[in-house]
Amino acid sequence: MKKILSVILCLTITVVAFSGCDLNNNAAIENKASRSLTALDTIVDLTVYGDNGEEILDYLEKRLNNYENKFSVTIDSSEVSAINSSNGEFVNVSAETYRLVSEAAQISALTDGAFDITVYPIVKEWGFTTGEYNVPESKRIRSLLASVGSEKIQFNSESKGVKLLKGMSIDLGGIAKGYIAMKLTEIMKTEGLSSGLVSLGGNIHALGTKPNGNPWQIAIQHPTQASGYLGVLALTDRAAITSGGYQRYFEQDGEIYQHIIDPKTGAPARSDILSVTVITDNGIMGDAVSTALYVMGSEKALAFLEQHKDLEAVIFTDDERLLISSSLNKDFTPDASFAGYQIVYF
Ligand code: AMP
Ligand code: MG
């Protein structure tokens, strides 16, 4: 009998607790409001500093649920489901859904297809959407690969129309959380706040600094040591977004199959990257590119980052190299346990 073991680790980035005692900061700390909930198939943590914190959290939660209802591939009434069930016809969607799908298609071209939202039929076939895991036959994968390719999506910018070819379907699971986390910090700002943090599983977006003026301290989880960290990142007004096979996978007959699919092969990406964190103020790019870099592997990922200096990254490989953008020299502190590892600044 086949033994299937599935593991989902949601908390891939952790906000390091306030440590020490800052007397000047007490008033601000009293003005803290935070909330944890489950949404978007992950654990969500929202933290705000300022007046009316609870009311703002209520509003953020409402907006989060609206986004989930729009973008989720598993909610039948979502706009993504409407696109997927359109049977080769144009579907007019909201400006936000249009933006996300069209930017996803652009990032697909930018990453030479490593990121591709049209890989969904294959993600589904492997069972990553439902948790009913299955290793498909290669013949089945080959036939599904025929409908993969974001260049086949058609757009009408005036009517905000999106059209897929028959047999195609899309999944914003690799890009929506980065967008939503960014939007929630924008809402915090509109509500008059200057300090807050959104954590959607491996997607963190910071508004401003901590109330005491210091950057947020974000610990990046070690992909193979459950309670270990790769290091701590100082983050102000930016996102830190992590992708890794360890976040969701299943094991069958001694083989591990993780959830990020290489759109060229239709199989889980066989990458030398175990974890990649992208740091940027653009949550859409950060989320999509972290997924793409994982698919590319370290060599192509470094070449890509060389061409996109606005994106910074921390990459951990299966031969235990820690690759860090040189511009993060001051902002990322590798964990002390890395003394024996190879740390490379690029
Ligand atoms: P992330 O956690 O942001 O790296 O995104 C991974 C999720 O995106 C998976 O669980 C799938 O839903 C979807 N996905 C898998 N492979 C790809 C890919 N190559 N391009 C775009 N989305 C993908
Ligand atoms: Mg992603």
Side-chain angles (χ1 to χ4, degrees):
M1 210 167 113
K2 289 179 179 174
K3 184 166 168 267
I4 299 188
L5 172 77
S6 68
V7 177
I8 300 174
L9 285 177
C10 293
L11 278 178
T12 53
I13 301 193
T14 307
V15 180
V16 180
F18 287 104
S19 58
C21 176
D22 181 349
L23 291 176
N24 295 319
N25 200 26
N26 280 352
I29 286 175
E30 280 164 19
N31 243 356
K32 174 182 175 179
S34 62
R35 190 169 295 181
S36 286
L37 52 132
T38 305
L40 303 163
D41 207 15
T42 193
I43 295 169
V44 174
D45 288 296
L46 305 172
T47 305
V48 295
Y49 288 89
D51 295 335
N52 308 320
E54 288 299 330
E55 270 171 51
I56 293 173
L57 287 177
D58 287 342
Y59 183 54
L60 292 172
E61 194 176 331
K62 201 173 127 207
R63 293 293 298 265
L64 179 67
N65 290 333
N66 287 345
Y67 280 127
E68 180 160 22
N69 289 333
K70 243 184 209 180
F71 301 147
S72 171
V73 75
T74 54
I75 296 177
D76 287 346
S77 55
S78 75
E79 294 190 19
V80 166
S81 293
I83 294 171
N84 286 346
S85 54
S86 64
N87 209 17
E89 299 293 327
F90 262 108
V91 176
N92 294 342
V93 293
S94 64
E96 286 194 296
T97 301
Y98 185 85
R99 174 181 176 191
L100 214 45
V101 176
S102 55
E103 289 198 22
Q106 286 164 20
I107 298 171
S108 193
L110 196 69
T111 59
D112 193 23
F115 181 81
D116 196 330
I117 55 172
T118 67
V119 82
Y120 180 57
I122 295 176
V123 171
K124 199 171 158 193
E125 186 71 21
W126 283 89
F128 288 111
T129 315
T130 55
E132 288 164 22
Y133 299 114
N134 158 55
V135 179
E137 287 186 6
S138 31
K139 209 169 85 187
R140 175 78 182 137
I141 291 183
R142 271 200 304 278
S143 85
L144 290 174
L145 274 173
S147 48
V148 173
S150 284
E151 71 286 351
K152 298 177 198 138
I153 309 177
Q154 291 178 44
F155 295 97
N156 182 328
S157 58
E158 266 173 30
S159 63
K160 304 277 180 282
V162 178
K163 179 175 153 181
L164 305 180
L165 301 181
K166 279 187 184 167
M168 287 177 78
S169 53
I170 59 168
D171 161 27
L172 301 179
I175 192 169
K177 287 200 271 292
Y179 176 70
I180 297 169
M182 177 173 73
K183 291 306 284 187
L184 294 185
T185 59
E186 284 173 16
I187 293 168
M188 289 177 185
K189 205 169 173 179
T190 313
E191 293 297 315
L193 303 185
S194 53
S195 181
L197 200 72
V198 178
S199 169
L200 308 179
N203 292 247
I204 297 254
H205 208 116
L207 170 66
T209 62
K210 291 196 288 188
N212 64 3
N214 291 333
W216 298 95
Q217 302 292 310
I218 308 297
I220 301 177
Q221 189 177 310
H222 196 296
T224 56
Q225 296 170 12
S227 53
Y229 296 109
L230 294 180
V232 176
L233 188 67
L235 196 70
T236 303
D237 262 330
R238 286 196 300 166
I241 298 173
T242 299
S243 286
Y246 70 100
Q247 293 171 331
R248 190 185 293 256
Y249 63 88
F250 69 97
E251 193 178 332
Q252 184 170 308
D253 300 332
E255 277 280 329
I256 288 185
Y257 301 96
Q258 57 73 30
H259 68 130
I260 300 175
I261 303 292
D262 182 341
K264 293 206 166 57
T265 64
R270 292 206 181 278
S271 165
D272 67 340
I273 292 179
L274 297 182
S275 163
V276 45
T277 301
V278 173
I279 297 101
T280 169
D281 58 4
N282 180 341
I284 299 181
M285 276 294 271
D287 196 356
V289 167
S290 69
T291 308
L293 296 182
Y294 182 88
V295 172
M296 289 178 194
S298 65
E299 204 180 319
K300 281 192 185 158
L302 292 188
F304 181 91
L305 291 165
E306 184 63 34
Q307 299 297 317
H308 297 89
K309 292 287 189 191
D310 50 326
L311 302 170
E312 295 175 311
V314 174
I315 296 173
F316 184 62
T317 61
D318 60 4
D319 57 356
E320 304 196 324
R321 283 173 301 142
L322 193 57
L323 314 174
I324 307 167
S325 295
S326 43
S327 50
L328 285 175
N329 191 15
K330 288 199 180 68
D331 289 339
F332 180 75
T333 311
D335 190 76
S337 62
F338 272 87
Y341 289 72
Q342 203 186 337
I343 298 181
V344 181
Y345 287 91
F346 61 89

